[in-house]
Amino acid sequence: MQKIGVFVCHCGTNIAATVDVKAVAEALSHESGVVISQDYQYMCSEAGQNLIKDAIRENGLTGVVVCSCSPRMHENTFRKAAAAAGLNPYLVEIANIREQCSWIHKDIATATEKAIILGRAAIAKVQLNTPLTAGESPVAKRALVIGGGIAGIQTALDIAEAGFEVDIVEKEATIGGKMAQIDKTFPTLDCAACILTPKMVEASQNEKITIHSYSEVSAVKGFIGNFTATIKKKRRFVDETKCTGCGACTEVCPMQKVPNAFNLGLNNRGAVYIPFAQAVPKVATIDPNYCLKLRKGDVNEKVCGKCAEACTAGAINYHQQDEYIEQKYGAIVVATGYNPIKLDKFDEFAYNQCADVVTSLELERLMNAAGPNGGTLLRPSDKTHPHKIVFVQCVGSRCDDSKGKPYCSKICCMYTAKHAMLIREKYPDTEVYVFYIDVRTPGKNFDEFYRRAVEQYNVHYIKGMVGKVTPKSDGKIDVQASDLLSNEQLHIDADMVVLATAIEPDKTARPLATMLTTQMDTNDFFTEAHAKLRPVESATAGIFLSGACQGPKDIPETVAQASAAASKAIGLLVKDSITCNPCVAHSNELMCNGCSACEKVCPYGAITYQDKEFRTPYRTTVMRRVASVNPAVCQGCGACTVACPSGAMDLNGFSNSQIMAEVDAICK
Amino acid sequence: MQVNDNKEFQPLIVAFCCNWCSYAGADLSGTNRLNYPTNVKIIRVPCSCRVNPIFILRAFQRGADGVILCGCHPGDCHYTSGNYFTRRRMTLLFSMLDFLGIERDRTRVEWVSAAEGAKFAATMNEFTEAVKKLGPNRRLEDLRCRKQ
Amino acid sequence: MQEAIISRAKQLLADGTVNRVIGWKRGEFAYDITPAIFESPEEIDADFVYDDFTSANVSKYLVKESRKEGKILAFLKTCDTYSLNQLTKEHRVDRDNIYVVGIPSDGKLDVEKIKAKGITGITGVERNGDILTVKTIYGDETMSVADAMSNKCLSCKSKKHVTYDELIGEDGEVTDTNRFDMVEKLENMTSQERYDFWRNELSKCIRCNACRNVCPACTCENCVFNNPDSGVENKAAADSFEENMFHIIRAFHVAGRCTDCGECSRVCPQNIPLHLLNRKFIKDINSLYGEYQAGADTTSKAPLNNYTFDDCEASIVHERGVE
Amino acid sequence: MNTFMYYPGCTLRTQAKDLDAYARSSAEALGISLEEPENWQCCGGAYTTAKDEIATKLSAVRTLNAAKEADKPLITVCSACHNVIKQTNYDISHDEEMSAKVNNYLQLDEPYNGEATVYHYLEMLRDVVGFDNLKKQVVNPFKGKKIAAYYGCLLLRPSKALAMDDPENPTIIEDFIKAIGGTPVIYAQRNECCGGYITMEDKAQASKRSAKVMDSAQEQGADMIITACPLCMYNLKKNSGSELPVYYFTELLAEALEVKEADNE
Amino acid sequence: MSNNLKEQVIRSSGVNVLKCMRCGKCSGTCPSYDEMEYHPHQFVYMVEKGDIETLMNSDSIYKCLTCFACVDRCPRSVEPAKVVEAVRLAAVRIQGNNHLIPDQIPEMLDEDLPQQAIVTAFRKYTK
């Protein structure tokens, strides 16, 4: 026999001014199952909650209906109160008579009538509520960080610091990512390598951190707290455990015409290489596309083999195969980063026609002391010192067409100011022009930085856009552009042109998102669970986002987000088990057809099938395929309940019969 | 169906609202004191995709004159894809009801975000008016359930 | 055809490929053909029938039969193969336990149409091109085959078997029919006319459940209308709403899964054109979400378990054509 | 033998007879048959982008429809004709309103909705004959000649409609030059306007534009410049003040195939 | 009047001027820039403001070469050349406002001038 308590809140006059609360309490007291119906000034106050607690204890209530403000406001408050009095918290229902009644209606009679109906619906529902207990699911105490740039490194360090094992999976031969290629950082102009490489070393020396370089994630299964990832360690033809990073092999390699990817092809390297001096792990890698021996196809043939001869550690292994590692993780952090876009569709800037038209990232290498020119800024074409440099902003960013990206790449305004300033500082005889559409400098000390470029370093900022870049026979580059403020078309005889190229998510991001069942936007940036309130979590539980894979970001922002993602991951890893929302779907096996309709609509992959034996008449049995819901993964949307034709799938807290009871009560 | 003093027809409207967007949008129209008729009674569901066509038919059976379903805007679903399924299901259901000769203005789907309190109120006002014009639901009700 | 089928059935039983055959046998009247299981050549010789009245689609029986020990042989007409494929896709049958022999279908006859010509005492028929000779206890009568053809065969959607282990006879092509004509005609009526049409039709429903029992898509372990928790349990329609409710929900539950085999209308003792409800869904799905034929394959996503970001809004129903 | 419908256009009948004659003789040599539509009309010279002009677009549609009815691809050689006809074809197949208006006006037996395929002669060389194949048939290669391709504006833009080549870094004429044995010269002004019809009323502007083109080509060491457009030819020759020789690409083609004299006595 | 004109120009050009982000690339790329009083980006902006008559009365509308460089290079797909064309048409469609009259032609001719130029100029300057 149900014993339901009804509690009608005045909310001061918020409710009581338009709803006759006494009449509501009176009317609802006659509903079937209701044993007590009271009204009170403020139900959410301590006294109000005590009223409910006492009523539960004294009357042995089996269900509570609070007619008050929106459940989004105080459902939890009243659930806790009920639990404190020994009633299962899921036996509480709220009738929203404030936001959805007293606040929107003026006529007391009709508002009161509606409040009564809403109360009745809640009573009808609560009669069918069942006590629910949140389930638990264990958490594997290990995190996977995908991507070993500054974002991945920071996240891994923070998680390791908290005492958890972390694996970094990096597709390149070294960790460090884009930041390792950058020369100086804004707005402080400290050297990127000086602040990054110690972190790389720290990561490699931290015993909690395992770095899988030259590796990729090839499969991910499971759910929050319980992921299983397969990591493919690509063969680098060098035994990582033996290689000392001495570099002897790289010196003897006769194939020295390989475009140096780390320097963006601005110079060449050997077929066996260590990406850069501070690489982590400092281990050689052989590029099989260029290695004279490996290119042959048959490694047993007597071709070259000079690196193996030179290696005193015996680390070179031409027979090495890809290796697969399977590992369990509680949390996964995505830190796949970004790349500049290809500029093939923007050849009005002559990028493909003129070596002295470069991207900003290329300029970083050209200016870097470890770069192709040892830090002296020289034109790639003739290695002469440029005296006039034109920077073009927004190349491929903010585009409405298929050529570019619709978004602002965010970092270009600041790094261009940095480049301009560094050049003017080091080469005062070089004129620098920056063509901009808008200069966007929100960030601490950012605008001051940009102003310094203009006021202190006398960089010429011109509002307008370059329309055509024409390389000339005398080695100069004619830059035709508009100056919108003086309303004229300019021609600048430049020595170099630097294109602030739009950035885009790494190409590996999309297949990874599919693997992780996380969302992406149309630009292939990972979508956060909530744009404001959950910026480092993906909508898929247990998957976190770090750095530019979520959207364009500069280094300080990336590091901040990396640490935030780490703290979210740590918050998960410290738990031995996670509490699951009990309002999840469940399948009645006796009615389940095993047809897979529910599985098809489940956005979380929470539904699996198994063959089970069922009793049939005459002591026979039959094997049937039936669905089961993993309560740790299910988020309780209910899509499956409608896809299920037999009604075998139902949702706790919002069951078919509960909703139907509400419908009936409202339509009565 | 409700009949008030001046005997003007007062339709009964059942509104299913998803917890994350539309129910919050309804709350917001309350917070902003934006009026809509008392005819509208809201039932909270976790997601618009929780709404089974059976619920809608049940409401009509029991005497509802109009049923409206509100969810997050496509692309904004808290559960990523729920409202896309809703959209297909309801399009087909409404088309079928229309095919059976049920007045099409008795059913509606509207996407209302948690920020669109004004849209929620405006939608409810419009929908109530539209159903009022149609008069009582006669084509799809269970006579046994009609209030005497 | 019957001889060829029977001889192949006996062969497959004899060589151990299968241990049972699902076929058909005759009931009280010549035209009263129902599915039956045969376990021996003797049983087959005694009772196996395949003739112009053999309409029944046996695929639904395979839901239970394919879970039993050993392989079962099924002879499937083209339309039946769509049903079987759909059941395979939904894991309702164990396809590995079924040996499918595809048989051609040149259209089956509707005895009611023959009877409607005033012909009674039917003992058999003979088809000669377009001419049908009906044998009766009162002597032979003739009529055109087309006039006796069952409605579902008149709008046959395909002569192509979509699944089989072997074929008897040649395979055909997907056909281009005018199966949506009636749906379209109804769509072009006014709302009131449609309401009147369906009220007239559905009010004839006696809730015998024949449509549900014959439907190869209705294979739920427990029908929602028998489920006391569903809130819509009703085993007999008590009033107009429940007739509506039953048929709307039934059509909705098979939407995107119905292969348009037409069995529902064929078996309806009240001759309610129930297939029109299914076809309405099929037509809507085709026009709104792209052509989709349930049962054509075993892998595609059913339209109602699928979506695209730019699907039309439900308001499309309110915006179109006739009110 | 491949047969195409061949639309010469007005200028090829008067000031640009060479362009036409060499195109025909070379096609014959390459095994391509060109059929001229009956009673063709002027393409209009310039495509009006305005959405509220229909009449000026009709003659191009008539030509396109003739190709559709003959079930043959339409081939053009004059850049201007090509531009007008391709833009018309693009718009009529992408703009329903325009297609409705045009068809209302023309009342053809069957409405025209962009069914015809339009090739520029160069595209025909690339996609039908194939530059590799052309190379094999060259008897008189331009060995050591540094040839600058001049695209101008009409061949490439608007790239959405013309869809002939990369509008900023095209290769079709350069590939053609390589096929006839020459060395292509890349220069920045190759896809910029020569001044076009402005020559009618503002010779100074036309001179400025065409001089810029010629200078740019000359700077990169070109021995000659080739074009597909009679108006470009006029501006570059007449207004640029440059001595750099300008030829129609068809002339070089005919020479390479050694069919130059045969048809052009 | 100017509102009607604005509507007319927008309809005729099919261009959504609101897509412009004022980068000025059209003017940066325009080969006729120095000949024009109002430049491509100004056409777009002035049409947005409804200041059409100024443009119609300016010689700039006869200086556009319709080379489509601005159309192809605009990052926002605004298509400024179509705006110029629409404004020019609005001007020459006015009775007696043809920019070129047949009587002027003979003196413009020389023996090499292709008629393509004459036809095109007529299309551009005359209604």
Short mmCIF file of all heavy atoms in Angstrom, two decimals, chain D residues 42-61:
data_model
loop_
_atom_site.label_atom_id
_atom_site.label_comp_id
_atom_site.label_asym_id
_atom_site.label_seq_id
_atom_site.Cartn_x
_atom_site.Cartn_y
_atom_site.Cartn_z
N CYS D 42 26.25 34.66 -82.46
CA CYS D 42 27.30 35.17 -81.59
C CYS D 42 27.03 34.76 -80.15
O CYS D 42 25.88 34.73 -79.70
CB CYS D 42 27.34 36.68 -81.70
SG CYS D 42 28.38 37.45 -80.46
N CYS D 43 28.07 34.44 -79.42
CA CYS D 43 27.90 34.00 -78.03
C CYS D 43 27.51 35.15 -77.12
O CYS D 43 27.03 34.95 -76.01
CB CYS D 43 29.19 33.37 -77.52
SG CYS D 43 30.51 34.57 -77.29
N GLY D 44 27.74 36.36 -77.58
CA GLY D 44 27.42 37.51 -76.74
C GLY D 44 28.68 38.24 -76.30
O GLY D 44 28.60 39.35 -75.79
N GLY D 45 29.79 37.60 -76.45
CA GLY D 45 31.06 38.29 -76.17
C GLY D 45 31.42 38.36 -74.72
O GLY D 45 32.55 38.19 -74.33
N ALA D 46 30.44 38.67 -73.89
CA ALA D 46 30.68 38.74 -72.45
C ALA D 46 29.47 38.15 -71.75
O ALA D 46 28.34 38.33 -72.21
CB ALA D 46 30.89 40.18 -72.02
N TYR D 47 29.73 37.46 -70.69
CA TYR D 47 28.63 36.87 -69.94
C TYR D 47 28.13 37.87 -68.90
O TYR D 47 28.92 38.41 -68.12
CB TYR D 47 29.09 35.60 -69.25
CG TYR D 47 27.97 34.90 -68.52
CD1 TYR D 47 26.97 34.23 -69.21
CD2 TYR D 47 27.92 34.91 -67.12
CE1 TYR D 47 25.94 33.59 -68.55
CE2 TYR D 47 26.88 34.26 -66.45
CZ TYR D 47 25.90 33.61 -67.17
OH TYR D 47 24.89 32.98 -66.51
N THR D 48 26.85 38.12 -68.93
CA THR D 48 26.28 39.03 -67.95
C THR D 48 25.97 38.24 -66.69
O THR D 48 25.17 37.31 -66.74
CB THR D 48 24.97 39.64 -68.48
OG1 THR D 48 25.24 40.12 -69.78
CG2 THR D 48 24.50 40.77 -67.60
N THR D 49 26.61 38.61 -65.60
CA THR D 49 26.38 37.84 -64.37
C THR D 49 25.05 38.19 -63.73
O THR D 49 24.61 37.52 -62.81
CB THR D 49 27.51 38.08 -63.34
OG1 THR D 49 27.58 39.49 -63.10
CG2 THR D 49 28.84 37.59 -63.87
N ALA D 50 24.43 39.26 -64.20
CA ALA D 50 23.19 39.71 -63.56
C ALA D 50 22.11 38.63 -63.66
O ALA D 50 21.93 38.01 -64.70
CB ALA D 50 22.71 40.98 -64.23
N LYS D 51 21.44 38.44 -62.54
CA LYS D 51 20.42 37.40 -62.48
C LYS D 51 19.15 37.84 -63.20
O LYS D 51 18.29 37.03 -63.48
CB LYS D 51 20.10 37.06 -61.03
CG LYS D 51 21.29 36.48 -60.29
CD LYS D 51 20.85 35.42 -59.29
CE LYS D 51 22.03 34.73 -58.65
NZ LYS D 51 22.81 33.87 -59.56
N ASP D 52 19.01 39.15 -63.41
CA ASP D 52 17.78 39.63 -64.04
C ASP D 52 17.96 39.88 -65.53
O ASP D 52 17.22 40.64 -66.12
CB ASP D 52 17.25 40.88 -63.31
CG ASP D 52 18.32 41.95 -63.19
OD1 ASP D 52 19.46 41.70 -63.62
OD2 ASP D 52 18.01 43.02 -62.65
N GLU D 53 18.97 39.28 -66.14
CA GLU D 53 19.10 39.38 -67.59
C GLU D 53 19.02 37.99 -68.17
O GLU D 53 19.79 37.11 -67.83
CB GLU D 53 20.45 40.01 -67.94
CG GLU D 53 20.46 41.48 -67.74
CD GLU D 53 21.12 42.23 -68.89
OE1 GLU D 53 21.54 41.58 -69.87
OE2 GLU D 53 21.20 43.46 -68.80
N ILE D 54 18.08 37.80 -69.04
CA ILE D 54 17.91 36.49 -69.65
C ILE D 54 18.24 36.55 -71.14
O ILE D 54 18.94 35.71 -71.67
CB ILE D 54 16.47 35.98 -69.43
CG1 ILE D 54 16.27 35.66 -67.95
CG2 ILE D 54 16.18 34.76 -70.28
CD1 ILE D 54 17.25 34.66 -67.39
N ALA D 55 17.74 37.61 -71.79
CA ALA D 55 17.84 37.69 -73.24
C ALA D 55 19.29 37.56 -73.71
O ALA D 55 19.57 36.87 -74.69
CB ALA D 55 17.26 39.01 -73.73
N THR D 56 20.22 38.18 -72.96
CA THR D 56 21.61 38.15 -73.39
C THR D 56 22.24 36.77 -73.24
O THR D 56 23.35 36.55 -73.67
CB THR D 56 22.45 39.16 -72.59
OG1 THR D 56 22.18 38.94 -71.21
CG2 THR D 56 22.10 40.58 -72.95
N LYS D 57 21.54 35.88 -72.60
CA LYS D 57 22.13 34.56 -72.38
C LYS D 57 21.55 33.52 -73.34
O LYS D 57 22.00 32.37 -73.37
CB LYS D 57 21.85 34.11 -70.94
CG LYS D 57 22.57 35.00 -69.95
CD LYS D 57 22.09 34.86 -68.52
CE LYS D 57 22.85 35.84 -67.63
NZ LYS D 57 22.31 36.00 -66.31
N LEU D 58 20.54 33.92 -74.11
CA LEU D 58 19.82 32.93 -74.90
C LEU D 58 20.64 32.33 -76.03
O LEU D 58 20.54 31.14 -76.31
CB LEU D 58 18.53 33.55 -75.46
CG LEU D 58 17.53 33.98 -74.39
CD1 LEU D 58 16.34 34.65 -75.04
CD2 LEU D 58 17.06 32.79 -73.57
N SER D 59 21.46 33.17 -76.68
CA SER D 59 22.14 32.62 -77.84
C SER D 59 23.12 31.53 -77.42
O SER D 59 23.28 30.53 -78.12
CB SER D 59 22.85 33.74 -78.62
OG SER D 59 23.95 34.21 -77.88
N ALA D 60 23.75 31.71 -76.25
CA ALA D 60 24.64 30.67 -75.75
C ALA D 60 23.85 29.39 -75.48
O ALA D 60 24.31 28.28 -75.76
CB ALA D 60 25.35 31.14 -74.50
N VAL D 61 22.65 29.55 -74.94
CA VAL D 61 21.83 28.38 -74.66
C VAL D 61 21.45 27.67 -75.95
O VAL D 61 21.45 26.45 -76.02
CB VAL D 61 20.56 28.77 -73.85
CG1 VAL D 61 19.70 27.55 -73.61
CG2 VAL D 61 20.96 29.40 -72.54
#
